Amino acid sequence: MHGVFANWRAALLYLLAWLMLGLLLAAMLAVSGAGWGASLSFSVPLAFVYAYATGFSAYYVCRAYPLDRRRPLAIAAGVGMTAACAAALWCAIGAAWNSLLAALAPEGYSPVASAPVLASMFGLGVILYGLAAAVNYLLIESERVRQLETQRLQMKLMAQDAELRMLRAQVDPHFLFNSLNSVSALTSLDPAAARDMTVQLAEFFRHTLGLRADRKVTLERELQLVRHFVAIEQVRFGDRLRFEADIDPAAAQCLLAPMLLQPLVENAIKHGIGQMIDPGLVRIEATRAGSILRIRVENDVDPDGAGGDASAPGTGLGLVNVRQRLAADHGHEASAHWVRRDGRFIVELALPAVTAFEPHTATDMEGI
Amino acid sequence: MRVIIVDDEPLARAVLREHLNAHADVEIVGECANGFEAVKAIAELTPDLVFLDIQMPKLDGFEVVELAGAKTHYVFVTAYDQFALRAFDVHALDYLLKPFSRERLAQALAHARARLATPVSATQGDDALRALVSDAQARHQPIERVLIRDGARVQVIPVARIDYVEAQDDYVAFFAEGRQWLKNQRMAELESQLDPKAFLRVHRSYIVNLGAIARIEPTGKDGHCAVLKSGARIPISRSGYQKVRDLMR
């Protein structure tokens, strides 16, 4: 079912309106001299017949002449033509119905459909058809608006969902469980170290929980987070994990999306150092060259294994995520590349260098 | 009860050691920091029970089980939650989620004692283990490397380097970089584990790496063979030739 017949309530209202129109027509005929009985039995069924005909055909006509894609003249012509045809047909049916009634009930029925009555029926038919078309256009438009609204809501939901997933994916929950296991071991082996580690864990989570997706942080502050993370992992991995950071002071003040480096370092440890038997180095280097901030995160990888390879399961996702976030923030001005070379896995980021003190920054900062 | 602890983190081993020391009947006969050591130690020390981490360098816990076999019982010790372990939690003797409590470990040990006291038939244990391993493999299908045990040594061959595989009775022979390795495995099982986009079973006894093929040559009357870049000639059966042609299309 379509248009006004799409649900029974609308269909009922529509037919009720047409009943009124039929009664009105009957009243007009009765006033002009015909008997009430004859007028009613003539006009009410005709009204319903036309209600059905316009209800269905107007919907398809409206579909064929969409308001937003056809020129108004074409729409008017199209609707006008169909309206005239429909009205003419209606008149023909009216004349036939009149003769049929006259033939079936010759004594009680005096014919009502004279030439002027049929002519006014034609005019009325065209107008009513036009009205039906207008109603259908309204229905189609409101449906379209409703769909757009649902679509907009869905998009918003998807965006929020993606952000949530991103943030969740960034701190691997197993990191927490592994760390707690280490704390559990340290409580009897080295209570002071256990206390230190709990403090580091608390700092790390306080820091990440305080982050807001829409606020930029300085590289220095992001690095603070990374250092907490590395300190915790160093307790777990012992001598296997070595860490170096070489940050240009000019780069340290630059702003970037929070949690941009942390997943890179997490990857470096999990897929790089975690897959090696021998000790490995994770190194961060950041320089500022004019308007460009360059950040490089590199780590040793197991020479035999697939560890650290972007194709290895689990690694690629975090990297792609970082690339997408950079693209969302800076478009073509930022880039992320990664390569495995000479037993090392290297990720290089380039993004516009912006500090909070430079006038063209539109972004706000969080706690310096 | 003779026990081996396998975990790449010294502290994680320390927790287990400390907890196990409270149980008088438990003797820790070995500690390993990676999968290679574990396979070797399990073969040499034949422990009753192995506490096995999953995330480790070189070989992960499932690969250790695959290589070390069903002669011993395994308790997985991992930070990975039930969700990831659901598929196979029925097969392993037990698993402990890090961090675990003293009581939980005692439970796992009680479970192990009960199992050791009533030895299951070898075949039954074998089946459970096979199911465990195939579950583990199903998690990262298609396989990226083949593990071959050679005494206490373990050979890891990345599948990309394999030229072809030949069935030899109960074994399959892997030909890679001019060398050959034998592994006790069924051809059909191996075929299901390899990436169908890279490997094709061209013959009842041969699976070939499509990237290693130099050309296809006719041999005799409507027979064909694949000539590999290494020079090896692999017979292609009629149905195998059909598959090759479908792939070329």
Side-chain angles (χ1 to χ4, degrees), chain A residues 240-254:
Chain A
R240 276 168 66 200
L241 171 60
R242 289 187 290 130
F243 179 73
E244 266 177 27
D246 182 6
I247 311 295
D248 178 3
Q253 293 309 312
C254 291

Side-chain angles (χ1 to χ4, degrees), chain A residues 174 185 188 236 240 277 302, chain B residues 9 15 18 34 58 79-80:
Chain A
H174 305 118
S188 61
R236 279 180 56 203
R240 276 168 66 200
I277 292 177
D302 180 23
Chain B
E9 294 172 28
V15 177
E18 187 187 322
N34 63 64
K58 299 288 184 191
Y80 285 76

Side-chain angles (χ1 to χ4, degrees), chain A residues 102-285:
Chain A
L104 286 178
E107 64 278 2
Y109 186 79
S110 55
V112 286
S114 56
V117 167
L118 286 178
S120 51
M121 255 179 77
F122 178 79
L124 194 65
V126 172
I127 293 169
L128 288 175
Y129 195 90
L131 274 174
V135 167
N136 268 301
Y137 273 129
L138 271 175
L139 283 174
I140 289 171
E141 274 311 288
S142 71
E143 177 67 13
R144 209 165 62 92
V145 168
R146 210 171 54 83
Q147 266 179 1
L148 278 177
E149 182 68 11
T150 349
Q151 234 169 37
R152 204 182 58 82
L153 279 174
Q154 269 174 351
M155 296 279 275
K156 205 172 150 193
L157 264 176
M158 270 164 64
Q160 278 175 349
D161 188 48
E163 193 178 321
L164 205 71
R165 259 186 307 160
M166 174 197 88
L167 289 172
R168 253 194 238 136
Q170 271 170 359
V171 181
D172 186 352
H174 305 118
F175 157 71
L176 177 62
F177 296 129
N178 276 319
S179 303
L180 285 174
N181 198 49
S182 302
V183 173
S184 157
L186 287 170
T187 40
S188 61
L189 293 173
D190 186 350
R195 194 170 304 137
D196 286 348
M197 183 147 176
T198 346
V199 172
Q200 292 280 12
L201 265 175
E203 289 281 342
F204 177 80
F205 280 101
R206 187 170 298 128
H207 196 136
T208 50
L209 293 175
L211 291 172
R212 282 179 42 190
D214 55 340
R215 292 210 183 193
K216 304 273 177 163
V217 297
T218 58
L219 176 60
E220 197 172 23
R221 196 161 156 74
E222 174 73 8
L223 207 66
Q224 235 176 44
L225 178 75
V226 166
R227 283 185 199 280
H228 285 308
F229 182 79
V230 170
I232 295 161
E233 294 289 68
Q234 263 168 339
V235 174
R236 279 180 56 203
F237 285 102
D239 302 333
R240 276 168 66 200
L241 171 60
R242 289 187 290 130
F243 179 73
E244 266 177 27
D246 182 6
I247 311 295
D248 178 3
Q253 293 309 312
C254 291
L255 295 175
L256 64 164
M259 301 282 280
L260 199 67
L261 293 190
Q262 195 275 338
L264 296 180
V265 174
E266 188 174 322
N267 268 344
I269 295 175
K270 190 171 167 189
H271 302 286
I273 312 302
Q275 301 303 314
M276 292 173 60
I277 292 177
D278 298 325
L281 173 69
V282 176
R283 189 182 145 81
I284 299 182
E285 199 181 290

